[in-house]
Amino acid sequence: MATKPSGQSYEYVLYGSVSPANHAALLHRLRGLCTGATTGGSTFTDREITYKIEAGAASSKVKVRQSLDAPDAPWLLVYHGQLELGDSSRAAGVRTVVSAACSHTLTDCLSYLGFMPIGELVLKGQVFRKGGVKVLVFTMYQPSDVTDLDSIQPFSQNYLVELTAFASSSQDRAIDELRNFAEYLKPIVQMEKTDGLR
Amino acid sequence: MEDMKVSLESLYTNKVKEIDYEGEEHYQERSSLSQHVTELAQRVDFSEVTEGKEGEPAVKKATQKWPWEQPHSKLKQALTEVSVLADMLHILHDHRHYMAMDTVAPRPTPSLPLAFQYIVKKKALARAAEILKRGTEALTHSSSREERAFHRALAELRRRWRVRRAPNGNILGDLGYSTAGSTHVPQSRAIFEVKKSTGTESSQAVSQPPAEEQGKEKEILSITIFRELRGSSEVVIFLSSSPVRACESMSAVGTIPRVPPRRPLPSWETKILAAQNIIFNQELFSHLTKEAYNTKTTLPYEVYTDRIIAPLSLNPPCWLSVHHVREYDDNKQRLEPVVVVPSELPPVRWDLVVAAKLLLRQRHLRSVALFPPRPTSTRYTDNPTLQNAGANALSDSKIKTADKKDNIFQSLLKMAKHMHNEERLRQWLVELVGSSRGDPVLQLHWVPSLSMTETAVYLHVKSEGGGHSVNVQLSVETVTVGLVEGGTASCPMDKDKLLGILRHQVVVYQMFTAVQVAEKASWIILQSFTRPQLSSTLARDSGNYLEACNILLQSPDAHNKLDILLEWKHVSVSKTHTNASDADGPCTATKFKMDSKFGQSFHQRFSNLLGTMA
């Protein structure tokens, strides 16, 4: 059913990492667990630029996500709130997410508003889905020239695994689904509630 | 060895006393001789001095050690060990002088007589043969003909069905549609168990009559399913002028007409397919009842656990009746066409049944084939338009409209209404064509289409010298007519209104024909109206001027004017002299029929008319 996904929502997140030696085993397990992944999952190449604006003593960050393998797709402007990790009763970190699909002139607009780019990443990997849980297995690259994807160098040989589930409120059953799915991935990858992209 | 000098002084090492903050090390200074002697004296235990006679000096005990006792003993020990090592190396190097190396004498083996040796070997071989024989028996058993056939049948089953081995060793298969995208929870567990059949079991499991089994291969697999999934089930839909409130028997309705499979299905597959059909029909009917119950309408819907009665329209009456027919008879679990007993029920609309089932499968596939999010921070969606446009591109109302398209019951209602209206349209058009005789000739051409909510018909108007096609499109409850003069006209399913439009289109075509004839005969076209003006007396006198057309002509010699009113099967002509005043009124007014029932076409008759009126 098509629903409007923009606007504020909550996102449950779990991060983990896996070495190249176990990467094939992880993909094999995800193909067995996930929906519609019999062909091997869907590969993606995304570019993420982090912008920052300072208003006096306070500063705020937003991220711009562009799909390099689907040029017609709209760019996504995302604001992530603080990732709450302290609640021991909760199995995953939760943060508010405000997102909006924008046109391809988004970067110019942000620069005009006073946002400064502070970092850029290229993410390459595969995306899977199991019910409401989205699984990303990817590596991060430091691009020197975004137009030449062959020249980018990875930060590390390891793969980052990100499990996310959207929820309409901070108390949702999506976290149970996320936790159960994380159990399926043991012992190949140990998912933890940390901020993996820091 | 003689030249080697060994120092007996302790090796002085630089001890670090302190390290500054700058990193500079301060070493402990080397003690002078007097300091060294003082340290040594402090080690002497004067309390052990024995008390002797007075005046006699104290005699030290023999146990008082001299300071070099320890290094002396260590060195002596080291010398001993080194000497031993040196001697050993010497012996090993030159062992001929000190050792005599000889081979180990072989242990004498007891020798048995040859006969006993043969017996021992024979027993050992017999034991080995017994082990091998046991192994081959097991292998022979597993590769027996029955086992091979069972595994072959199991492989065949596994090619088309999801089968797994349970922890207790049973082989279980999946009957549900959950892996195909369904979120429905069946009333009973959607599994079946597979076993190797024995002779007695196969005769109970197979539903075919024994006579058919003769000459066939004995059934290898025995399929067991839950009692709730045995029997047969079907969702049947009736479209009739009165509601169908009872339909309890499969024999009264039959099953969906199917194309027979290329090869005859094994009985176990027939059984499984019937059970899966039951689960699918349960899910379909549950969706239909839920959506029918939630439909907001002023019409009186009746929703029960086994039937839905919904009126499409009350005038004329048309009812949609959806029944979930279920039979629990084990002997009748089959998918072959059921022998239908003639009953009072109207014929089942299998096209609507198939459409409903396809819509449900479409919903399943939509939940499975979601478009991957691009970029990956977005969510999964089943709408590619939403994916590419972005969430903010579509308004809430447009998204809600997209959601409504997923309602199976609403789609079914639309299709049923369209089928009902299509039948009515067919009757009206046939009536229209039948009522027109002579020229122009009316023909109908139905455009074949796979759509269940759109129908297109062409009404061909043919006359001497040409013709025209009027396009009529029916979309559920609205009819759109393509006009001869250009543009379209829409109207609801109203017989008088629709036929009035179509009759008017025929008249418009006749008007264009008349204009061509007049131009050919050098008459001057003063005015032509597809809708007659009320200023015309003929229009005022006509009873149905809305379906008429009006032409004003002037004779070639400019003496006469003709006011022609074209109607369905009638032409009224009023002739006026050009010089006559309004007070005089028209000189001649003629009204006559233009249907050429007796041979002449409209073209010919209008030409004759102009000839007489000139």
Side-chain angles (χ1 to χ4, degrees):
Chain A
M1 186 180 289
T3 54
K4 200 169 181 181
S6 69
Q8 182 173 335
S9 59
Y10 293 90
E11 186 184 51
Y12 294 104
V13 185
L14 283 173
Y15 284 101
S17 73
V18 66
S19 64
N22 296 327
H23 179 239
L26 175 66
L27 290 185
H28 182 77
R29 186 168 287 199
L30 286 172
R31 277 187 217 115
L33 288 172
C34 296
T35 313
T38 52
T39 53
S42 175
T43 55
F44 72 94
T45 307
D46 278 0
R47 176 185 169 207
E48 186 178 273
I49 311 170
T50 307
Y51 281 85
K52 183 179 173 181
I53 190 166
E54 290 182 1
S59 67
S60 185
K61 287 184 191 171
V62 293
K63 291 182 182 175
V64 173
R65 201 91 176 237
Q66 173 198 2
S67 175
L68 294 176
D69 54 358
D72 295 334
W75 292 27
L76 200 72
L77 179 66
V78 182
Y79 167 77
H80 285 138
Q82 187 70 24
L83 188 62
E84 293 174 26
L85 303 169
D87 190 354
S88 58
S89 63
R90 204 180 279 140
V94 63
R95 61 187 175 193
T96 55
V97 174
V98 182
S99 65
C102 307
S103 65
H104 297 187
T105 55
L106 176 61
T107 49
D108 298 334
C109 182
L110 288 175
S111 304
Y112 181 77
L113 289 173
F115 284 84
M116 300 293 295
I118 59 172
E120 186 174 338
L121 288 175
V122 171
L123 314 177
K124 280 179 86 170
Q126 287 170 306
V127 56
F128 298 88
R129 181 185 73 93
K130 168 76 175 171
V133 177
K134 185 169 60 177
V135 187
L136 295 178
V137 181
F138 59 92
T139 46
M140 292 188 286
Y141 295 81
Q142 179 73 40
S144 52
D145 181 12
V146 182
T147 55
D148 183 14
L149 289 177
D150 295 330
S151 68
I152 54 178
Q153 298 295 324
F155 280 115
S156 157
Q157 296 300 322
N158 287 349
Y159 292 84
L160 191 66
V161 183
E162 181 183 291
L163 297 188
T164 52
F166 282 96
S168 56
S169 66
S170 61
Q171 303 292 334
D172 204 295
R173 296 179 66 90
I175 195 171
D176 297 327
E177 212 176 327
L178 196 71
R179 184 185 55 221
N180 293 336
F181 192 82
E183 291 292 322
Y184 289 139
L185 296 184
K186 290 178 180 176
I188 300 175
V189 59
Q190 184 79 21
M191 303 304 297
E192 295 166 351
K193 49 176 189 177
T194 56
D195 197 350
L197 287 180
R198 287 206 173 187
Chain B
M1 290 294 280
E2 293 174 357
D3 295 332
M4 188 182 293
K5 293 180 182 176
V6 180
S7 170
L8 295 179
E9 290 178 349
S10 64
L11 190 63
Y12 184 77
T13 54
N14 288 327
K15 291 182 184 174
V16 177
K17 194 167 91 175
E18 68 170 327
I19 302 175
D20 286 343
Y21 284 110
E22 288 81 16
E24 189 179 348
E25 294 173 343
H26 297 277
Y27 297 103
Q28 199 169 6
E29 291 173 355
R30 193 167 180 168
S31 56
S32 62
L33 186 63
S34 63
Q35 284 176 345
H36 183 62
V37 169
T38 310
E39 282 171 14
L40 289 173
Q42 283 173 354
R43 288 187 198 165
V44 176
D45 190 1
F46 292 98
S47 62
E48 291 182 2
V49 174
T50 54
E51 291 183 3
K53 291 180 178 179
E54 288 185 8
E56 289 181 1
V59 179
K60 282 190 183 176
K61 275 189 178 176
T63 57
Q64 278 188 352
K65 293 180 181 175
W66 57 301
W68 304 109
E69 178 65 28
Q70 197 179 2
H72 177 257
S73 62
K74 294 278 187 210
L75 277 172
K76 209 173 169 185
Q77 208 174 0
L79 177 64
T80 311
E81 286 176 10
V82 168
S83 303
V84 166
L85 279 172
D87 291 339
M88 191 180 292
L89 285 172
H90 189 65
I91 289 168
L92 285 173
H93 182 65
D94 194 13
H95 60 86
R96 288 194 192 89
H97 292 138
Y98 304 101
M99 294 191 321
M101 308 291 277
D102 203 357
T103 54
V104 177
R107 190 185 293 178
T109 54
S111 59
L112 286 174
L114 209 57
F116 286 142
Q117 284 181 23
Y118 286 146
I119 292 170
V120 164
K121 279 185 185 173
K122 187 178 170 186
K123 278 191 178 172
L125 286 170
R127 238 180 277 128
E130 195 180 337
I131 293 170
L132 286 171
K133 191 179 169 188
R134 262 189 267 129
T136 50
E137 275 176 8
L139 277 173
T140 310
H141 175 69
S142 66
S143 66
S144 68
R145 195 175 167 203
E146 287 86 15
E147 278 295 322
R148 280 200 302 270
F150 172 67
H151 288 296
R152 217 180 300 125
L154 201 60
E156 184 71 20
L157 173 74
R158 203 166 174 273
R159 278 174 59 201
R160 294 190 295 278
W161 298 90
R162 292 166 58 89
V163 179
R164 62 182 172 89
R165 191 175 283 274
N168 56 3
N170 294 347
I171 302 171
L172 300 177
D174 183 22
L175 284 172
Y177 284 81
S178 58
T179 52
S182 168
T183 55
H184 175 72
V185 178
Q187 292 169 2
S188 61
R189 289 182 67 194
I191 55 171
F192 62 92
E193 191 176 346
V194 184
K195 284 181 187 170
K196 188 178 164 190
S197 76
T198 56
T200 52
E201 286 175 4
S202 62
S203 63
Q204 288 173 7
V206 173
S207 61
Q208 294 172 354
E212 295 181 13
E213 283 187 317
Q214 289 174 8
K216 276 193 180 174
E217 202 173 319
K218 179 185 158 187
E219 292 294 332
I220 305 297
L221 297 177
S222 166
I223 305 291
T224 311
I225 52 178
F226 282 102
R227 197 173 178 77
E228 292 79 14
L229 295 179
R230 294 185 192 171
S232 56
S233 146
E234 193 56 83
V235 171
V236 291
I237 300 176
F238 301 100
L239 196 60
S240 55
S241 55
S242 62
V244 177
R245 296 191 187 279
C247 174
E248 294 170 357
S249 157
M250 289 290 287
S251 59
V253 295
T255 51
I256 290 181
R258 291 174 191 272
V259 175
R262 285 181 192 174
R263 55 170 182 84
L265 293 175
S267 64
W268 54 261
E269 187 148 14
T270 311
K271 202 171 167 179
I272 295 173
L273 285 171
Q276 198 177 48
N277 194 40
I278 291 169
I279 293 172
F280 188 82
N281 288 333
Q282 277 175 2
E283 182 182 355
L284 174 63
F285 199 75
S286 74
H287 282 299
L288 288 174
T289 47
K290 209 184 306 180
E291 287 161 5
Y293 186 77
N294 293 328
T295 302
K296 292 175 185 172
T297 175
T298 54
L299 295 170
Y301 283 9
E302 297 172 29
V303 181
Y304 302 98
T305 53
D306 60 343
R307 62 186 185 276
I308 302 167
I309 314 290
L312 299 179
S313 69
L314 296 174
N315 187 20
C318 181
W319 295 78
L320 180 75
S321 311
V322 183
H323 289 258
H324 184 206
V325 183
R326 181 81 171 90
E327 275 189 352
Y328 292 88
D329 193 342
D330 286 358
N331 291 330
K332 290 187 182 176
Q333 49 189 349
R334 64 183 71 190
L335 284 182
E336 290 91 8
V338 175
V339 175
V340 178
V341 174
S343 67
E344 295 177 354
L345 294 173
V348 177
R349 300 307 297 257
W350 292 115
D351 44 4
L352 287 176
V353 172
V354 169
K357 295 191 174 185
L358 288 175
L359 285 171
L360 180 60
R361 280 298 295 140
Q362 218 172 53
R363 180 184 282 186
H364 289 168
L365 290 172
R366 254 203 300 274
S367 69
V368 170
L370 293 184
F371 291 89
R374 290 287 184 272
T376 48
S377 298
T378 53
R379 296 196 203 182
Y380 275 90
T381 176
D382 58 351
N383 192 332
T385 310
L386 191 70
Q387 175 87 31
N388 291 328
N392 296 327
L394 297 179
S395 61
D396 285 336
S397 58
K398 276 194 180 171
I399 293 174
K400 280 180 188 171
T401 311
D403 289 346
K404 277 184 187 170
K405 284 182 184 173
D406 197 33
N407 194 315
I408 300 176
F409 185 68
Q410 293 294 331
S411 307
L412 210 59
L413 280 180
K414 271 189 197 169
M415 284 188 252
K417 278 181 193 169
H418 181 79
M419 291 165 99
H420 173 63
N421 289 333
E422 189 183 12
E423 192 55 40
R424 292 166 70 199
L425 180 68
R426 190 189 298 272
Q427 287 172 3
W428 297 345
L429 291 178
V430 168
E431 196 180 303
L432 174 71
V433 169
S435 66
S436 77
R437 287 189 183 84
D439 189 81
V441 175
L442 298 185
Q443 283 181 341
L444 287 173
H445 171 211
W446 292 82
V447 179
S449 165
L450 294 175
S451 171
M452 296 189 72
T453 52
E454 301 280 337
T455 300
V457 186
Y458 280 100
L459 177 67
H460 297 294
V461 183
K462 290 186 178 175
S463 181
E464 179 185 329
H468 182 78
S469 297
V470 178
N471 183 19
V472 180
Q473 294 243 350
L474 170 65
S475 176
V476 188
E477 286 180 313
T478 308
V479 183
T480 308
V481 179
L483 302 177
V484 175
E485 61 269 33
T488 57
S490 294
C491 71
M493 279 298 292
D494 185 296
K495 182 179 178 182
D496 295 332
K497 203 167 178 182
L498 176 64
L499 292 186
I501 293 174
L502 292 176
R503 280 194 290 260
H504 182 243
Q505 290 302 299
V506 175
V507 172
V508 167
Y509 170 73
Q510 284 182 327
M511 183 194 81
F512 287 133
T513 307
V515 164
Q516 282 175 4
V517 169
E519 282 174 351
K520 216 170 183 182
S522 306
W523 282 71
I524 299 166
I525 316 297
L526 295 176
Q527 283 171 328
S528 64
F529 303 104
T530 54
R531 298 282 176 195
Q533 305 301 300
L534 284 177
S535 55
S536 165
T537 52
L538 289 174
R540 287 200 297 271
D541 293 339
S542 167
N544 193 15
Y545 69 93
L546 290 176
E547 295 178 13
C549 295
N550 192 225
I551 313 173
L552 281 176
L553 298 175
Q554 186 175 342
S555 62
D557 55 6
H559 288 160
N560 300 316
K561 280 185 189 176
L562 288 183
D563 183 5
I564 303 174
L565 185 74
L566 295 161
E567 294 174 278
W568 176 255
K569 296 181 188 175
H570 288 90
V571 174
S572 305
V573 180
S574 170
K575 184 177 175 182
T576 320
H577 282 298
T578 318
N579 296 327
S581 65
D582 292 338
D584 294 339
C587 286
T588 54
T590 318
K591 188 172 182 178
F592 53 89
K593 280 189 178 182
M594 281 297 290
D595 61 325
S596 58
K597 183 178 176 183
F598 298 106
Q600 280 188 325
S601 63
F602 174 82
H603 188 280
Q604 189 67 37
R605 296 200 73 179
F606 196 77
S607 296
N608 296 343
L609 174 71
L610 290 180
T612 56
M613 291 289 175

